[in-house]
Amino acid sequence: MKHFLKRIIPRPLWEFARTHRAWLIDFITNAGASVCRKRYRGFTVYYNRGNALIDRLRKEKYFEKVLCERIIGDLNRSENKVFLDIGANIGLITLSVLSNVPEARVYAFEPGPLQAGVFEKTIAENNLSNRVIFYRKALGESVGIAKFFVHDGADIAKDGFKNTGRGEGGHEISVSIETLDDWWKVAGKPPVAVVKIDTEGAELFVLREGKEFLATVKPILYLEIELSNLAAYPHTAVDIIRFLNSIGYGVSTLDGIAVSPENIDEFVKKHDTYRAISRTLS
């Protein structure tokens, strides 16, 4: 059949179909659907049509490959295979962790209603409720209800506490919020080994209200420090590094180059994700 099709289909069209096979399968599978699905890292992942993170997968094949490999490596070296995903979005990093660390337990937070809805479908479809504890809420600097900016377009990766101007127009909604310390205590003080924080500029809000958790558990941290996000917040990249240093954490790029308050302004021009580890563990 394959050779027959190659004879009757024009060569340029055949080459397009061959090189875009995954995209064509997704297109056919999800034709006309507003909530779509695809296979990723051994799981079925749900997403909204036009999702920018899924568009990246058509080029990269492995979302945030270097970051995920570092997280997975740290979890595999730890006795406690517990991962905290703050700003989980549709769950791609959580799925990478579960695919490579079978015994991992994940606590995931995502307040965005569209992201949370499709992530919950992914958890249910793959029978992951015994491995993923999911919270439809934000972690931040207070407890209760907070304003949260959601974008009107399909690109929901940039939703956050503030409108950073990086996406299309949007509007504010109200979401549930609690602090990292409060969550940790209520959850029974789980022995978290690795934390990923990607909250579109609010990373310092999360860290400041997690001092007891960080001092006690000393997890390895991965966090985004993105200048275009921070422009909407009352703190800077320097403030984030100084805070981490003040609680005993050293910071580096993902490839291990040490970062300090003195040099972070140069690094953020090229890097947007960093690793922080307690100096008592390094």
Side-chain angles (χ1 to χ4, degrees):
M1 175 62 74
K2 177 180 176 181
H3 296 295
F4 171 74
L5 291 174
K6 287 184 71 172
R7 287 198 301 271
I8 65 173
I9 296 176
R11 183 177 180 82
L13 185 58
W14 174 264
E15 289 298 322
F16 177 87
R18 185 178 65 84
T19 57
H20 295 79
R21 180 173 178 271
W23 178 86
L24 287 169
I25 291 173
D26 286 349
F27 179 81
I28 294 168
T29 300
N30 298 301
S34 58
V35 175
C36 309
R37 68 186 190 275
K38 72 179 276 90
R39 294 293 292 174
Y40 181 68
R41 314 307 300 169
F43 300 102
T44 296
V45 59
Y46 284 87
Y47 62 95
N48 61 302
R49 181 174 294 282
N51 188 290
L53 304 185
I54 297 298
D55 287 343
R56 282 179 57 178
L57 284 181
R58 296 190 178 106
K59 301 174 183 177
E60 300 175 6
K61 306 302 181 186
Y62 194 159
F63 180 72
E64 296 285 2
K65 185 174 187 290
V66 174
L67 171 61
C68 289
E69 288 176 343
R70 297 292 187 275
I71 291 171
I72 290 162
D74 287 334
L75 284 170
N76 279 325
R77 285 187 291 272
S78 175
E79 293 182 2
N80 303 312
K81 315 297 186 187
V82 183
F83 176 54
L84 176 53
D85 191 352
I86 304 173
N89 207 278
I90 62 172
L92 296 181
I93 289 180
T94 283
L95 293 179
S96 287
V97 166
L98 296 176
S99 177
N100 290 275
V101 189
E103 65 272 43
R105 184 174 182 84
V106 179
Y107 295 89
F109 284 81
E110 178 52 57
L114 185 52
Q115 302 93 313
V118 292
F119 193 12
E120 286 175 336
K121 284 181 67 69
T122 294
I123 292 169
E125 175 73 18
N126 297 282
N127 298 310
L128 295 175
S129 58
N130 61 329
R131 301 177 66 191
V132 181
I133 310 302
F134 180 66
Y135 301 86
R136 255 187 191 254
K137 59 174 59 178
L139 289 181
E141 59 181 346
S142 61
V143 176
I145 301 296
K147 294 298 183 182
F148 191 81
F149 189 87
V150 295
H151 291 86
D152 294 332
D155 184 2
I156 55 176
K158 301 177 179 66
D159 294 354
F161 288 123
K162 296 184 181 296
N163 178 11
T164 62
R166 294 179 63 213
E168 299 177 20
H171 60 280
E172 284 187 337
I173 63 171
S174 295
V175 299
S176 296
I177 182 174
E178 67 179 310
T179 68
L180 179 52
D181 276 344
D182 284 341
W183 162 77
W184 179 60
K185 294 169 187 175
V186 171
K189 299 185 177 180
V192 178
V194 181
V195 179
K196 184 224 80 183
I197 311 174
D198 184 352
T199 52
E200 300 302 301
E203 290 77 17
L204 187 54
F205 289 168
V206 177
L207 293 167
R208 281 176 175 164
E209 298 304 322
K211 288 181 182 178
E212 184 177 351
F213 164 71
L214 295 171
T216 305
V217 182
K218 297 180 175 60
I220 296 173
L221 306 175
Y222 289 88
L223 66 155
E224 182 181 70
I225 304 178
E226 167 63 61
L227 284 181
S228 56
N229 287 335
L230 291 176
Y233 284 83
H235 51 258
T236 66
V238 172
D239 294 328
I240 296 173
I241 305 303
R242 283 179 175 162
F243 174 80
L244 288 168
N245 290 169
S246 75
I247 61 170
Y249 271 79
V251 185
S252 68
T253 61
L254 293 185
D255 50 5
I257 302 173
V259 175
S260 70
E262 291 72 33
N263 65 19
I264 183 61
D265 285 339
E266 288 302 313
F267 279 106
V268 291
K269 296 175 183 177
K270 299 179 181 179
H271 303 268
D272 62 8
T273 307
Y274 297 83
R275 182 177 187 262
I277 186 169
S278 173
R279 292 193 178 101
T280 61
L281 301 178
S282 57

